[in-house]
Amino acid sequence: MAELGGNAAVPRAGASRVVVFSGPREGVGKSTLALNLALAWAGSQNRKVLIVHMDPLCRDDLSFQMALEPPSLASLVPVVGENPSGGVGRLLRGRIPMTKWGVGLLPLAKKRQEIMSLSPQAVAKILGALSEEYDLFLDVDPYLPMQVFAFDVADIVFWTCLPQRSHFEATYALFGEFKNLHFPLERFEIIINQANLPGALSPKEVDRFFGTMNKHVLAYMPWDDLLPECANTQKILVVESLQSEWVKQLRLVLGRTLQVQPGLKSWDSAISGPEFGQAADFLWKTPAGASGAETSQPSAKTSSVPAVSGSVPPFWDELKGKLHKSVVAAMETEHVRISDDQNQNEENRTKVASIIEALMQKERNLPLSRAQREQFISELVDEILGLGPLQSLLRDPSINEIMVIAADKIYIERQGQLVLLPMRFRNDDQVIQVIKRIVAPVGRRIDESVPLVDARLKDGSRVNAIIAPLAVSGPTLTIRRFSAKPYTPNQLVSFGSCNQDMIDFLEKCVLLRKNVIISGGTGTGKTTFLNMLSNYIPDGERIITVEDTAELRLAKQHWVRLEGRPANIEGKGEVNIRDLVKNCLRMRPDRIVVGECRGGEALDMLQAMNTGHEGSLTTLHANSPSDAISRLSAMCLMAGSELPMSVLVEMISSAVNIFIQLTRFSDGKRRVTYITEVTGREGMQITMRDIFRFHQTTVNEQGQSVGYFSGCGYIPTFQEEFKLKGLEVPLSVYREAKPGAQGKTAPAAGVSGPHGGGLLT
């Protein structure tokens, strides 16, 4: 049948095609189309063709007509193994019979029981191996899992339907679904079968209908009286009647097939998407005990980091820039506005994604896989409505910190480890635009005159940004993320940050209105721990929090939040933390919680603690409790007062009761390493005693720090106050634990003064 193809160009040698035949209903004639086109293709291109009937109900309409007794794909699984890898083509060679025209047949299964034992992994591996030797013509019935699988690997899809309104309406609905799944609709060609039967819609009406979908009909296949005869007499129309009107229309289909350049196939990824897995659950299940990946996959919302720019084609950024302007213009036309309302934002994302999808459908022959199209749309939506490459990272709850040190260098911290991502910004200008989008809603600005800014995101994440001339290597952005829900004490214990004895003791200290300072280095979890402790404050008390950037999340009703304000463009209007702490004293607080002491506000905080505002909490940067004392003293001196050092030492020793030291270890684990009491002063020295501490014993083979929490054998001076408040703290919690000891220690006796402060015996 070489004469059927005319002088059409011959495809590259060795380049295999995957041609898919499907439709909105069964019985539309797609199998007949697949058989005749396969013979025409094999004859005109001198290629071997394998027709694979992807029918989960095991119908086989072509074996008789082709005079073949083919094996089923399911019967080949034992030959190559359930999860084949390598050498599959060699094992299958000679097992599939061929017609004299160079066309073979491979039904999915011959018995329904075979379907239940057939895994998607085996199908993908076998078809992938066969595609190295054959051009594959996949005859796919209208079942979503099979269609999703086939469309993902197709070079072209011939969508066949009858000239009936119900078929067109079903096609319209299904193409909408395929579009939402990011299939390129330009890869779909529409064929109208039995176009000349009485009562059929006219070609003019058909063209008008599909014109609303920006599609045109490739071929109108007429009814031919030889078709039933061929099916019953082992004849094939393209062989028996080369000059029939039906075969003349088939030439249009063959010509379109010749125009298609075969693309790279990813057979494994075709069965790994959530759409395939979720739909296949009810139809095509991985058998129990089968090896390979599970059929059902997590949804996109739970994925960690999306596909990144390292796997995209070189025209990616150029295409983004081209479509960006068109999308913004379409948003103006459709009155899409960025909103603070989460539901509205989700609606906006859907609208903008639809706009981008429609624009991409107009870009003919984009060499993008469905996964790449989905990634492209997601990235462009994030760029227009969100924070560009960072938006997908902000959706991942496992990421603790995001650090941009250059347009092409984005780091994240996950589980305490720094990871460089392949994703990137287009250039420095895009980084600056993202920074401006972050700081504008909270009344901040960043430019050459104000090149350094602190801000927060809507979810409470802390943001620091710095640009030229201060940032020499390019704009730098750091986002410290916090859990959507504050960590509970039980979670901190389960993470190994502390033990239950320490949590119980600190809870009682908060209830006893002891003044607590949490110290630690950057990223040790001070704010997280302060959040947790603050929630032990009784509900009947008035709490005022003071922060430079609002981050605390207290589950309390009577909670007043104060946040500092930077100077405006004229350098006026600044309200710093010290001003807010002073103002707190006029607001009748029961407790004052300062997010972090960094300067002169430390003196005002100490004065508040000493003047009837016991039970206050704050954090500061220090590497040990003794360092925290030195830093606290230095910050008080920054207030500019002329207080003698002896007075300052007295203020600290009488105001602060407890230091909690947090440390981040080399493996990323954050632990409470000391709980220390300030016991008083001796001359110019402030005296302290450790109540609890963490002892590191070793580092295991995985590089993880190993150790244990223990009491230090010291009873705090306020032990008797617990009893007076009706709070029970057993002496056993203070006993020193043995290495490897877990949980609570055994009861212990102790000696102490009238108010505690003794040692266990």
Side-chain angles (χ1 to χ4, degrees), residues 14 51 91 193 205 228 263 401 439 498 506 606 612 664 712:
I51 301 174
L91 293 172
N193 207 4
E205 291 178 284
E401 198 136 8
V439 303
C498 53
L506 291 174
L606 288 177
R664 176 181 168 186
C712 296

Side-chain angles (χ1 to χ4, degrees), residues 99-229:
T99 66
K100 61 183 178 181
W101 301 291
V103 178
L105 181 65
L106 186 66
L108 197 63
K110 293 186 176 181
K111 297 179 181 179
R112 298 189 186 188
Q113 290 84 351
E114 287 183 326
I115 289 290
M116 300 307 295
S117 63
L118 187 62
S119 72
Q121 289 75 24
V123 172
K125 290 290 186 182
I126 291 174
L127 291 183
L130 291 172
S131 69
E132 298 174 4
E133 187 170 349
Y134 304 93
D135 285 331
L136 298 184
F137 281 31
L138 305 184
D139 183 358
V140 183
D141 282 341
Y143 292 95
L144 181 64
M146 302 302 183
Q147 286 181 328
V148 168
F149 169 77
F151 296 166
D152 262 335
V153 297
D155 294 306
I156 190 169
V157 179
F158 291 119
W159 186 265
T160 308
C161 52
L162 301 182
Q164 300 174 9
R165 187 167 299 277
S166 62
H167 283 226
F168 298 163
E169 291 174 349
T171 296
Y172 184 87
L174 289 170
F175 274 34
E177 292 183 16
F178 300 153
K179 183 178 178 181
N180 290 336
L181 293 176
H182 307 291
F183 286 112
L185 296 187
E186 68 268 14
R187 197 176 294 171
F188 288 69
E189 294 292 348
I190 297 171
I191 297 173
I192 305 299
N193 207 4
Q194 303 178 14
N196 61 343
L197 286 180
L201 294 173
S202 68
K204 185 176 182 180
E205 291 178 284
V206 175
D207 287 339
R208 186 184 304 117
F209 179 87
F210 284 107
T212 63
M213 301 167 54
N214 294 317
K215 300 293 293 183
H216 72 278
V217 177
L218 174 66
Y220 287 91
M221 311 297 294
W223 171 257
D224 194 301
D225 291 337
L226 284 177
L227 288 170
E229 180 183 340

Side-chain angles (χ1 to χ4, degrees), residues 354-373:
S354 297
I355 293 170
I356 299 170
E357 183 69 60
L359 290 170
M360 291 185 71
Q361 295 292 347
K362 296 178 182 178
E363 297 286 330
R364 304 291 294 180
N365 300 321
L366 276 179
L368 297 176
S369 67
R370 183 168 69 97
Q372 287 175 326
R373 292 173 74 95

